Amino acid sequence: MFAVHLLAFYFTKLKEDQIKKVDRFLYHMRLSDETLLDIMARFQAEMQKGLGKDTNPTASVKMLPTFVRAIPDGSENGEFLSLDLGGSKFRVLKVQVSEEGKRNVQMESQFYPTPNEIIRGNGTELFEYVADCLADFMKTKELTQKKLPLGLTFSFPCKQTKLEEGILLSWTKKFKARGVLGTDVVSSLTNAMKRHQQDLDVDILALVNDTVGTMMTCAYDDPYCEVGVIIGTGTNACYMEDMSNIDLVEGDEGRMCINTEWGAFGDDGALEDIRTEFDRELDLGSLNPGKQLFEKMISGLYLGELVRLILLKMAKAGLLFGGEKSSALHIKGKIETRHVAAMERYKEGLANTREILTDLGLEPSDADCIAVQHVCTIVSFRSANLCAAALAAILTRLRENKKLVRLRTTVGMDGTLYKIHPQYPKRLHKVVRKLVPNCDVRFLLSESGSTKGAAMVTAVASRVQAQRKQIDKVLALFRLTQEQLVGVRNKMRVEFEYGLKKDTHPRATVKMLPTYVCGMPDGTEKGKFLALDLGGTNFRVLLVKIRSGRRSVRMYNKIFAIPLEIMQGTGEELFDHIVQCIADFLDYMGLKGAQLPLGFTFSFPCRQASIDKEFDLDIVAVVNDTVGTMMTCGYEDSNCEVGLIAEGAQDGEELERNLGEEQGVAQGTGSNMCYMEEMRNIELVEGDEGKMCINTEWGGFGDNGCLDDIQTQYDKEVDEGSLNPGKQRYEKMTSGMYLGEIVRQILIDLTKQGLLFRGHISERLQTRGIFETKFLSQIESDRLALLQVRRILQQLGLDSTCEDSIVVKEVCGAVSRRAAQLYGAGLAAIVEKRREDQGLEHVRITVGVDGTLYKLHPHFSRILRETVKELAPQCDVMFMLSEDGSGKGAALITAVAKRLQQAQREH
């Protein structure tokens, strides 16, 4: 018993001594946590460099865009081919991806050898060999009659400008075929396949790096997967990056997979303090000295060689094998990574070590075996540590991109070293979790690796292609051609004439209501005026003080609520309430009993017989808010003779209410325009001298069917769902009150087609009025990242992917763009009319404009201006934002009316 204990003690002591000896010798290969965090920070800086347009040319980590923009969503189906070129064997694969509600993949594959004379010979011969193998596979599997999409896994750094193209930047590993560098490998393979036209009817849809293939394979099983890592013959990683961070590719929407090509990390000297004499010796003897330095410290192609160089040096120093060296130990490549893995096995490791060393012609002692095993551990542990540091940098970047405190993600893993080495995965996982404690990481081993991944990329590409076609078909309905816009302008012009003429006025859709506002402010207006603004659930009373000369206006106001019972009661009750509120306001302002002229903004269609003939009060002017807008701007700019309102909806409740408004002109959410017309053209009013403001009430344009050619099924659904079907057609295509509702109808249709939200229509999406116009403005904001778009959609109960968010943004853009163009066409009709009426070649005209759609939407005002410029090129149109058209405007109209009355009396 004592002898057993003694032996155990001797062996433990021996082990400790040998481990200490190796630790001392390989001191530089042991990396502290501090060093790993430093490497992580260096890699983050390198990633940033690789992504920047100006810094990329000098970056060692190339961060290549792959043009893979989406991961599988489970709806992929069909048959796909895949080729995998880049490892020790070449593989052809047929993948059947079936939908039927469950993710199911069936594969048939065949391996072909890659002889040295092929991979280091002539490039043309290499691709002809690949094409021959593919043709052989097609014949064997009886696929020659089918046209199949193909994905090519090509495990070498390529510069891609699209998914199906790749310019080879450099060969790595053992490949060195001539004449391929700087050429498009997809074209080379396509040309080689032409020799087999009878057998090969194949479309190469995607060129995929093996790392991307790994990520895609795992993402099919786990939608959280957004990183791929390979630790095999070579090493590399890819991940999904925000497009807004990728300077090398046009566009800011969505995400794209970036192939980091991290094997070249350190090629610019960034890792010199980490590299050892053994790394330098290995590099000098490699096929590509000075290149792929990070890979040479990590991957399976080099670990065995690193161990051999260390053992040789230790033997020379008399620290191993009694100073003896065998001839085999001097031969490059004699120790392979599979040997390193075998020596590190938990129980049989020491026995394996003795066997491997004996095969090398050495006579190892127990102490030698323990020391050699520990050398293997240090070399492979350093590999896992370095990989973990770079991977931790990627995970940190993902977390920061998403602005999360904690990230939940999955990393797809592949590669022989990761798969065959008994301790490697455990070590890697442990170090990653230590370096990024705020990331919950799942490591998923890729089944059937990168070849299946290329098929998945191809499947996703063909799904996205098909979906894109359907989405574009819907969006095309909202794209108006120049010809259509000219048509809208001309039809609007005809309707103006109809509305102004006595005979045609009754059947005109654009009512052209005279407002009896016969003059614009000239700066001489002065005095105190009351203004009343009614147009919703409450109203404002204002006291407006106008001073002449300096054109100064001061305003004081108070808001009064209109109780529901009064809103729904009789007209008499409503106006009694208003008169009481005016009296309260005058009292509040210390003007009790004062007789002040009053202007009344009433945002509903009114047929007026004169300016003050609506109510029994002593009112000087009843004003529409559009006219108020024009007057406010006219006070500042004498060229202003058009007023435009482009409102956006306020909130869901009001929207729901307004969608059911009887008369169809929503308060504060409508679309309207007024302008100064020559009296001689207004047949509804006596007199030919001077001008009068016409309130067009153009929202009814199209009610006679003249816009049917541009009306979509979604417009019809919105119209049918309102309480005034067939009325206010133009307004329903342009005003803020309806735009969100049009978007909602499109989203429902796209979801039904399975193109959005995984085909799931949420209860909220089915609620009328839920998609407020303010969401359009927010979603279309250039400053808003897709992450924030997703948050807005989440508020609406819509669980969206990144791709969904892009589509929603496009839908919002198409709907608001059409609205702005239709506004522009209508406005072009009026400014052209004003130019012709004045008999001018060119005219300068200012449009006073108000409304949240114009003010707050990020693109509406620009598109409106551009459209007017295109459709009325002889009119120089300025746009001026109105401030408080309904309050200040009403007071100004009242002031002008008083001035004109005074002038008449003096005559």
Side-chain angles (χ1 to χ4, degrees):
M1 189 69 188
F2 176 71
V4 173
H5 281 297
L6 193 62
L7 193 63
F9 174 75
Y10 162 75
F11 198 75
T12 308
K13 186 83 177 70
L14 180 70
K15 194 170 182 180
E16 278 174 13
D17 291 347
Q18 295 305 314
I19 286 172
K20 277 179 188 163
K21 175 173 76 178
V22 172
D23 282 346
R24 277 196 301 275
F25 190 76
L26 296 179
Y27 172 76
H28 280 299
M29 279 196 163
R30 297 173 65 82
L31 305 173
S32 67
D33 289 354
E34 201 181 333
T35 305
L36 292 177
L37 285 166
D38 183 36
I39 293 168
M40 180 178 154
R42 290 186 217 180
F43 189 70
Q44 278 176 297
E46 283 297 321
M47 287 167 79
Q48 195 56 47
K49 221 170 143 184
L51 289 169
K53 204 172 200 165
D54 301 334
T55 46
N56 176 274
T58 58
S60 57
V61 178
K62 281 299 176 200
M63 304 295 280
L64 303 170
T66 64
F67 294 83
V68 171
R69 294 168 185 264
I71 60 172
D73 68 359
S75 67
E76 293 76 15
N77 66 338
E79 278 186 309
F80 305 93
L81 285 172
S82 181
L83 296 180
D84 187 357
L85 183 65
S88 43
K89 292 195 188 93
F90 158 57
R91 188 181 184 198
V92 185
L93 187 79
K94 187 199 86 160
V95 181
Q96 171 81 46
V97 183
S98 60
E99 193 181 3
E100 298 160 10
K102 57 182 183 291
R103 301 183 176 217
N104 184 10
V105 178
Q106 289 163 337
M107 296 184 291
E108 294 176 59
S109 73
Q110 177 134 5
F111 284 99
Y112 294 90
T114 46
N116 268 345
E117 62 272 19
I118 292 285
I119 65 173
R120 293 187 191 179
N122 179 302
T124 311
E125 286 168 13
L126 170 66
F127 288 108
E128 282 175 358
Y129 175 73
V130 171
D132 292 346
C133 295
L134 180 59
D136 173 71
F137 180 81
M138 298 284 276
K139 269 190 201 147
T140 313
K141 303 292 177 191
E142 297 175 352
L143 296 170
T144 48
Q145 301 311 307
K146 290 185 175 179
K147 183 176 176 69
L148 294 174
L150 180 140
L152 169 61
T153 302
F154 194 70
S155 317
F156 306 97
C158 285
K159 184 185 177 191
Q160 287 185 262
T161 49
K162 41 185 191 257
L163 186 58
E164 67 284 10
E165 173 190 291
I167 309 295
L168 179 66
L169 296 176
S170 62
W171 286 117
T172 57
K173 294 168 276 196
K174 292 181 177 175
F175 279 70
K176 209 122 189 191
R178 296 184 302 279
V180 187
L181 281 181
T183 64
D184 174 20
V185 293
V186 175
S187 297
S188 303
L189 181 56
T190 306
N191 291 335
M193 290 194 303
K194 284 178 183 161
R195 290 171 52 239
H196 295 278
Q197 274 172 327
Q198 284 76 36
D199 320 320
L200 285 177
D201 191 1
V202 167
D203 257 351
I204 303 178
L205 276 196
L207 173 74
V208 185
N209 178 280
D210 55 346
T211 321
V212 180
T214 297
M215 181 188 80
M216 292 299 268
T217 303
C218 294
Y220 188 67
D221 298 317
D222 181 346
Y224 279 100
C225 182
E226 48 192 342
V227 183
V229 174
I230 287 190
I231 312 164
T233 312
T235 183
N236 195 10
C238 69
Y239 71 103
M240 295 301 285
E241 176 61 87
D242 290 358
M243 279 288 287
S244 55
N245 296 330
I246 308 171
D247 286 357
L248 306 167
V249 179
E250 288 295 308
D252 281 345
E253 302 300 352
R255 301 201 300 166
M256 184 183 283
C257 180
I258 288 288
N259 164 21
T260 65
E261 287 297 339
W262 76 8
F265 177 36
D267 286 8
D268 58 355
L271 295 175
E272 280 315 294
D273 55 329
I274 307 293
R275 293 175 73 225
T276 65
E277 58 181 296
F278 308 108
D279 297 308
R280 292 189 177 91
E281 194 178 338
L282 178 140
D283 177 46
L284 285 171
S286 69
L287 280 173
N288 53 351
K291 301 266 182 268
Q292 301 294 105
L293 298 183
F294 190 59
E295 180 170 84
K296 285 170 185 169
M297 293 194 271
I298 289 173
S299 82
L301 187 59
Y302 305 103
L303 289 196
E305 184 60 8
L306 273 174
V307 168
R308 184 188 74 82
L309 292 171
I310 293 165
L311 299 188
L312 190 59
K313 175 124 194 222
M314 286 182 79
K316 280 179 182 170
L319 297 170
L320 281 178
F321 320 126
E324 293 294 323
K325 308 173 291 295
S326 67
S327 57
L329 194 57
H330 282 89
I331 298 171
K332 186 178 157 188
K334 265 297 183 185
I335 299 180
E336 296 173 24
T337 298
R338 64 189 173 90
H339 297 135
V340 175
M343 288 191 269
E344 281 196 75
R345 290 214 173 278
Y346 180 55
K347 282 188 178 158
E348 61 270 32
L350 280 174
N352 290 344
T353 306
R354 184 176 295 279
E355 192 181 320
I356 289 161
L357 294 174
T358 307
D359 287 348
L360 288 170
L362 295 160
E363 293 176 9
S365 64
D366 288 346
D368 290 334
C369 292
I370 291 166
V372 169
Q373 189 182 45
H374 193 53
V375 168
C376 292
T377 300
I378 287 177
V379 169
S380 61
F381 215 128
R382 183 185 69 156
S383 164
N385 275 334
L386 290 169
C387 248
L391 178 54
I394 290 175
L395 296 171
T396 301
R397 187 170 178 91
L398 276 176
R399 187 181 61 76
E400 287 170 357
N401 281 351
K402 294 183 181 192
K403 298 179 173 59
L404 295 173
V405 179
R406 278 197 88 73
L407 172 74
R408 177 188 169 186
T409 194
T410 298
V411 178
M413 299 295 304
D414 203 357
T416 44
L417 178 56
Y418 182 84
K419 287 201 271 200
I420 67 160
H421 192 291
Q423 319 292 335
Y424 202 99
K426 196 169 56 189
R427 290 171 186 166
L428 177 77
H429 304 171
K430 191 176 175 182
V431 180
V432 167
R433 289 180 178 128
K434 189 161 56 172
L435 293 174
V436 278
N438 46 6
C439 296
D440 298 319
V441 191
R442 178 187 180 211
F443 290 88
L444 183 60
L445 187 62
S446 163
E447 294 298 326
S448 67
S450 49
T451 327
K452 175 181 165 186
M456 290 319 310
V457 173
T458 311
V460 170
S462 72
R463 162 177 69 80
V464 169
Q465 222 173 46
Q467 289 178 338
R468 193 67 250 177
K469 265 186 196 156
Q470 288 172 275
I471 290 162
D472 283 344
K473 208 166 147 189
V474 169
L475 296 179
L477 301 171
F478 290 85
R479 288 192 194 107
L480 299 176
T481 62
Q482 181 77 359
E483 198 182 337
Q484 285 173 315
L485 288 168
V486 167
V488 172
R489 180 198 68 192
N490 296 344
K491 287 172 191 172
M492 181 71 91
R493 182 72 188 273
V494 168
E495 286 299 314
F496 288 160
E497 303 302 338
Y498 275 11
L500 288 170
K501 292 194 165 35
K502 216 170 196 165
D503 300 344
T504 50
H505 179 83
R507 63 173 188 276
T509 59
V510 179
K511 284 300 175 198
M512 308 295 277
L513 304 173
T515 65
Y516 295 87
V517 170
C518 295
M520 297 295 287
D522 65 2
T524 63
E525 295 78 13
K526 61 180 181 203
K528 289 179 187 168
F529 302 90
L530 279 177
L532 182 63
D533 176 13
L534 175 69
T537 53
N538 50 37
F539 69 99
R540 284 188 307 158
V541 184
L542 301 94
L543 174 67
V544 182
K545 294 180 180 176
I546 301 174
R547 291 166 67 184
S548 64
R550 286 188 312 164
R551 296 199 177 218
S552 126
V553 177
R554 293 181 73 180
M555 295 188 288
Y556 311 87
N557 72 70
K558 195 169 182 189
I559 293 171
F560 295 90
I562 304 174
L564 193 63
E565 64 273 14
I566 288 178
M567 279 172 77
Q568 295 176 350
T570 64
E572 196 176 337
E573 286 168 340
L574 174 64
F575 291 112
D576 281 350
H577 177 69
I578 287 170
V579 170
Q580 184 55 53
C581 292
I582 293 169
D584 289 352
F585 177 73
L586 288 172
D587 196 9
Y588 169 75
M589 292 300 296
L591 296 167
K592 194 172 183 179
Q595 277 288 309
L596 294 175
L598 187 142
F600 190 173
T601 301
F602 193 67
S603 306
F604 307 93
C606 295
R607 188 177 314 284
Q608 283 177 253
S610 78
I611 199 158
D612 54 358
K613 290 263 178 80
E614 274 298 317
F615 305 107
D616 227 5
L617 287 163
D618 181 20
I619 294 171
V620 177
V622 174
V623 186
N624 174 282
D625 57 349
T626 318
V627 184
T629 294
M630 179 185 76
M631 291 303 266
T632 306
C633 295
Y635 187 63
E636 309 289 334
D637 180 345
S638 57
N639 279 330
C640 181
E641 47 179 71
V642 180
L644 182 71
I645 296 269
E647 276 293 358
Q650 273 86 18
D651 57 49
E653 253 178 70
E654 179 166 350
L655 198 50
E656 181 70 24
R657 195 167 56 245
N658 284 339
L659 283 164
E661 283 284 340
E662 270 304 338
Q663 78 282 10
V665 179
Q667 317 126 24
T669 49
S671 153
N672 199 11
M673 192 265 298
C674 72
Y675 71 105
M676 295 303 286
E677 177 60 274
E678 307 296 329
M679 280 291 286
R680 65 175 185 271
N681 295 334
I682 309 171
E683 292 185 6
L684 304 171
V685 179
E686 293 296 310
D688 282 350
E689 291 304 310
K691 293 193 265 195
M692 182 184 284
C693 177
I694 290 290
N695 167 20
T696 64
E697 287 298 340
W698 73 1
F701 175 47
D703 290 1
N704 59 0
C706 71
L707 294 180
D708 286 3
D709 59 324
I710 60 168
Q711 205 187 23
T712 68
Q713 70 193 69
Y714 310 106
D715 296 307
K716 286 174 187 149
E717 276 158 9
V718 170
D719 180 41
E720 283 160 17
S722 68
L723 278 186
N724 55 349
K727 298 271 183 270
Q728 301 295 111
R729 294 264 183 96
Y730 182 66
E731 178 167 89
K732 284 172 186 167
M733 294 163 89
T734 55
S735 105
M737 187 182 118
Y738 297 100
L739 298 188
E741 190 55 16
I742 297 170
V743 167
R744 187 181 74 86
Q745 292 293 348
I746 298 170
L747 298 188
I748 287 174
D749 184 43
L750 292 177
T751 309
K752 278 180 184 166
Q753 291 182 52
L755 303 172
L756 272 183
F757 311 130
R758 301 178 183 85
H760 173 65
I761 300 177
S762 71
E763 207 174 313
R764 294 285 302 276
L765 191 57
Q766 291 174 0
T767 310
R768 234 170 32 146
I770 193 68
F771 208 96
E772 300 161 38
T773 301
K774 72 173 182 189
F775 291 138
L776 265 78
S777 296
Q778 289 170 1
I779 285 168
E780 285 188 70
S781 166
D782 294 328
R783 293 192 310 276
L784 208 61
L786 279 179
L787 206 62
Q788 290 156 295
V789 174
R790 284 176 77 175
R791 285 202 187 119
I792 293 169
L793 294 172
Q794 273 164 359
Q795 286 170 24
L796 297 172
L798 302 169
D799 180 21
S800 71
T801 62
C802 195
E803 289 72 41
D804 290 339
S805 303
I806 294 172
V807 174
V808 171
K809 199 166 181 177
E810 285 183 275
V811 169
C812 291
V815 170
S816 60
R817 182 179 181 79
R818 183 190 66 163
Q821 287 179 317
L822 288 173
Y823 257 107
L827 196 53
I830 214 71
V831 295
E832 271 294 301
K833 176 173 168 44
R834 291 301 299 133
R835 183 184 67 78
E836 287 173 22
D837 283 350
Q838 293 168 65
L840 297 171
E841 186 68 29
H842 271 86
V843 70
R844 286 191 67 178
I845 197 163
T846 298
V847 176
V849 60
D850 200 356
T852 50
L853 193 55
Y854 185 90
K855 284 178 182 171
L856 302 181
H857 190 283
H859 309 300
F860 189 91
S861 58
R862 175 182 53 79
I863 296 163
L864 169 61
R865 289 194 301 270
E866 284 169 3
T867 309
V868 173
K869 202 170 185 177
E870 277 170 30
L871 299 182
Q874 288 159 278
C875 304
D876 183 7
V877 183
M878 288 276 297
F879 288 82
M880 186 177 187
L881 266 178
S882 158
E883 63 172 292
D884 199 3
S886 44
K888 183 177 169 182
L892 283 165
I893 291 169
T894 309
V896 170
K898 285 306 261 185
R899 190 192 80 219
L900 296 175
Q901 280 172 10
Q902 191 80 28
Q904 267 179 337
R905 278 202 290 274
E906 285 167 9
H907 275 299

